[in-house]
Amino acid sequence: MSSPSSNAASVSTSASTTTIHLTVNGRTRTLSVEPRRTLLDALREDLHLTGAKPGCNMGQCGACTVLLDGEAVYSCLALAIECQHQAITTIEGLAHDDQLDPVQQAFIDHDALQCGFCTPGQVLALKSLLLRDPHPDDDAIERAMAGNLCRCGAYPKILAAARSLAGRAS
Amino acid sequence: MRPFEHLTVQAADEAIQALAGGDGGNTRLIAGGTDLLPLLKDGLVNPGRLIDIKPARALRHLTFDADGSLRIGALTTLAEIERSSQLAERLPLLRQSVVDAATPQLRAMATVGGNLLQRSRCWYFRGPFDCWLKGGTVCYMRDGENKYAAIFDQGPCRSAHPSDLAPALVALDATVSISGPAGSRTTPVAEFLAPPTNDERVEYRLRPDEMVTEIRIPAEAIAGHGVYLKAMDRRAWAFALVGAAAQVTILDGKVARARLVFSAVANVPWRATAAEALLVGQTLTPDLAAQAADAAIAGASPLAHNGYKVPLARELARRAILAAANLWTETN
Ligand SMILES: Cc1cc2nc3c(=O)[nH]c(=O)nc-3n(C[C@H](O)[C@H](O)[C@H](O)COP(=O)(O)OP(=O)(O)OC[C@H]3O[C@@H](n4cnc5c(N)ncnc54)[C@H](O)[C@@H]3O)c2cc1C
């Protein structure tokens, strides 16, 4: 269990299972994890949110991309225990009821996927860019999408989806 | 990953106190975690305790002081450097050094302090080989698959330094502020990063009870102009085959100050002092830049598969020197 150490400001946790609170897609979730639990494993194994994918587990593929306070990050390289004060957004949190997020809809409209394994990460990487810059040019789009591999090679269609969202014809 | 205890601190002095626990290097700080977690997953480091310093917000800033110098908190992310309009305008070299480093996701997590302390990407070091850098007796890079190896010999290890930011900082005469139980010290980045030796098989000089708090760049360096050029074997998400950072100050038509520093050609960023000396006091011309570039690679001793790095370094150096002086065009 978490227990405040002698220093009031710091928090010390033993190596065994401890209780943490994560804000995922707007809901506070309480879970028991070891400090070594990655955010990716916490999402998938503990919260059963399997949209973020385990690809390389080393920050070399992008399939595990989620948003932390709107910023795209690799959840395989973050410890869950260190994400307790940030808003976590996974692909499951983008749609509202039956209403898809515009980024999801644009991926469908432009056929911007084949097998779909990398798609949650691609969508969230683009979402993060558009939150910062609603009208990115091609260079900004390509740079923002450079951290997500697609082995099917859907890149041109992903670019087309992104352009349409940026308010430009594709 | 082996189990570890976890401590979260809010300020540098709390981290120093916790490090002073005296457990002989069994404790590690974690910042962005983008290098540490892969090392933990591969079992290359196995600390019993991690100290998360990310909540120490005072270590996350970019500050131009009144005297024109720049201070960068150790927890500043590479993304913050990339997005700073002030840096884009006043210090393009620094910004350029990070824009093609890693990926947007990694730059959002990766910190300046962690970038300087990242370990070698040599596949013998990262992989299941008992190489010299990990405490063994042989550097397998020398006779093995050495396409990405260093071309300058600095000791037993032939791994090439992976950081794009570090050569830019060396070219800017940056210093590192370090805090430990006995107080603070300041050391040039150029000395903080040092080739691994028999006794210290690591690319930096930091005691286990110390932490990096800040990077400082003096006004004289900022007064110049510079660029960072990075050659990769694909257009994104690759470590540098070779990178070249150049920062040049021109006064009354003559080069008053010149720095040329490479990434990925040696164990640590490689400063080409002979090239710099050729430039200082002269009027910068394409011919002079070419001479300096030749001087920059003198003494290189490539291995079986990395000979391509020599002309690559020479040409990047030539272009970087010219571009730093706004003289680079496709035709010269
Ligand atoms: C796939 C991939 C591609 C990459 N490509 C590039 C690239 O092209 N160019 C490039 O330059 N880099 C690249 N990197 C490296 C990346 O930039 C570094 O991993 C990152 O900068 C490290 O910072 P961090 O905050 O994540 O460090 P961490 O992983 O948190 O820490 C790294 C080390 O530094 C120590 N540490 C961290 N902060 C401090 C401090 N303030 N004081 C003392 N010790 C500290 C930690 O204990 C640890 O030993 C890449 C990384 C990956 C995974």
Side-chain angles (χ1 to χ4, degrees), chain A residues 59, chain B residues 28-29 31-36 102 111 115 117 164 212 230 239:
Chain B
R28 283 276 184 148
L29 302 182
T34 61
D35 195 38
L36 189 58
T111 65
N115 188 276
L117 293 159
D164 293 306
V212 172
K230 178 178 182 179
F239 287 94

Side-chain angles (χ1 to χ4, degrees), chain A:
Chain A
M1 291 296 292
S2 295
S3 60
S5 73
S6 56
N7 190 321
S10 56
V11 179
S12 177
T13 310
S14 79
S16 55
T17 306
T18 187
T19 301
I20 64 167
H21 307 283
L22 297 179
T23 309
V24 185
N25 301 328
R27 275 178 64 197
T28 302
R29 311 288 299 261
T30 301
L31 50 162
S32 288
V33 297
E34 290 181 32
R36 62 175 163 164
R37 195 75 154 162
T38 63
L39 177 58
L40 176 63
D41 287 344
L43 291 170
R44 292 181 58 86
E45 309 295 331
D46 299 309
L47 299 178
H48 308 294
L49 294 168
T50 53
K53 297 288 183 278
C56 69
N57 268 312
M58 285 295 203
Q60 298 178 358
C61 77
C64 68
T65 298
V66 301
L67 305 186
L68 280 187
D69 287 340
E71 191 86 70
V73 301
Y74 296 145
S75 59
C76 75
L77 295 186
L79 294 175
I81 194 172
E82 297 179 358
C83 299
Q84 297 188 77
H85 301 288
Q86 283 153 303
I88 301 159
T89 307
T90 69
I91 194 69
E92 290 87 348
L94 278 199
H96 292 291
D97 300 324
D98 284 345
Q99 190 69 42
L100 290 181
D101 186 272
V103 179
Q104 292 171 307
Q105 190 61 53
F107 268 61
I108 294 169
D109 294 345
H110 291 83
D111 204 12
L113 62 146
Q114 283 185 46
C115 83
F117 189 82
C118 72
T119 311
Q122 303 276 5
V123 167
L124 289 166
L126 183 55
K127 183 75 189 170
S128 167
L129 170 67
L130 294 170
L131 286 172
R132 260 183 291 121
D133 176 4
H135 303 290
D137 61 18
D138 279 4
D139 183 59
I141 294 168
E142 285 181 14
R143 287 189 161 278
M145 304 306 289
N148 296 78
L149 293 185
C150 172
R151 280 295 170 246
C152 306
Y155 301 112
K157 297 191 171 189
I158 294 171
L159 180 61
R163 278 183 182 150
S164 74
L165 292 161
R168 286 174 302 121
S170 47

Side-chain angles (χ1 to χ4, degrees), chain B residues 12-85:
Chain B
D13 56 343
E14 291 173 21
I16 307 280
Q17 266 178 34
L19 283 172
D23 53 4
N26 188 37
T27 297
R28 283 276 184 148
L29 302 182
I30 177 166
T34 61
D35 195 38
L36 189 58
L37 287 191
L39 292 168
L40 292 170
K41 290 181 184 198
D42 278 338
L44 290 171
V45 294
N46 295 295
R49 188 169 64 143
L50 289 194
I51 304 175
D52 179 19
I53 54 175
K54 279 186 288 297
R57 300 291 304 191
L59 297 180
R60 192 167 173 178
H61 64 89
L62 279 164
T63 315
F64 277 100
D65 285 328
D67 65 359
S69 61
L70 173 66
R71 290 182 292 119
I72 309 171
L75 289 176
T76 306
T77 63
L78 301 191
E80 284 158 354
I81 291 183
E82 177 184 9
R83 291 177 197 160
S84 159
S85 50

Side-chain angles (χ1 to χ4, degrees), chain B residues 51-277:
Chain B
I51 304 175
D52 179 19
I53 54 175
K54 279 186 288 297
R57 300 291 304 191
L59 297 180
R60 192 167 173 178
H61 64 89
L62 279 164
T63 315
F64 277 100
D65 285 328
D67 65 359
S69 61
L70 173 66
R71 290 182 292 119
I72 309 171
L75 289 176
T76 306
T77 63
L78 301 191
E80 284 158 354
I81 291 183
E82 177 184 9
R83 291 177 197 160
S84 159
S85 50
Q86 228 185 354
L87 281 185
E89 191 184 318
R90 297 177 67 175
L91 205 48
L93 165 58
L94 194 64
R95 188 179 165 274
Q96 276 172 25
S97 75
V98 301
V99 293
D100 286 319
T103 66
Q105 287 92 329
L106 287 163
R107 295 195 294 274
M109 307 168 88
T111 65
V112 166
N115 188 276
L116 289 181
L117 293 159
Q118 64 177 299
R119 296 305 314 274
S120 164
R121 305 303 300 198
C122 172
W123 43 44
Y124 296 109
F125 173 73
R126 295 269 168 173
F129 303 91
D130 184 25
C131 82
W132 179 86
L133 190 54
K134 289 210 292 268
T137 52
V138 178
C139 171
Y140 296 107
M141 201 66 142
R142 289 186 180 269
D143 295 316
E145 292 296 331
N146 48 34
K147 175 178 171 194
Y148 298 120
I151 52 172
F152 290 102
D153 221 336
Q154 290 186 300
C157 171
R158 263 298 184 128
S159 77
H161 201 268
S163 170
D164 293 306
L165 176 68
L169 291 176
V170 173
L172 292 166
D173 291 351
T175 58
V176 197
S177 304
I178 294 162
S179 288
S184 301
R185 64 185 177 102
T186 297
T187 188
V189 174
E191 291 169 22
F192 179 68
L193 299 177
T197 62
N198 255 323
D199 299 333
E200 292 191 82
R201 298 195 185 193
V202 60
E203 305 84 354
Y204 49 79
R205 296 293 176 267
L206 186 74
R207 294 215 319 262
D209 58 358
E210 290 181 319
M211 75 179 284
V212 172
T213 54
E214 197 168 83
I215 308 294
R216 292 176 191 230
I217 300 176
E220 309 84 74
I222 297 173
H225 180 256
V227 297
Y228 181 72
L229 302 181
K230 178 178 182 179
M232 296 181 269
D233 54 12
R234 59 183 186 187
R235 197 151 65 90
W237 208 343
F239 287 94
L241 297 171
V242 178
Q247 180 86 356
V248 171
T249 309
I250 299 196
L251 287 177
D252 301 326
K254 300 249 191 303
V255 176
R257 180 186 176 282
R259 295 287 184 276
L260 175 65
V261 186
F262 293 112
S263 59
V265 301
N267 292 162
V268 292
W270 180 266
R271 187 170 159 196
T273 43
E276 296 170 2

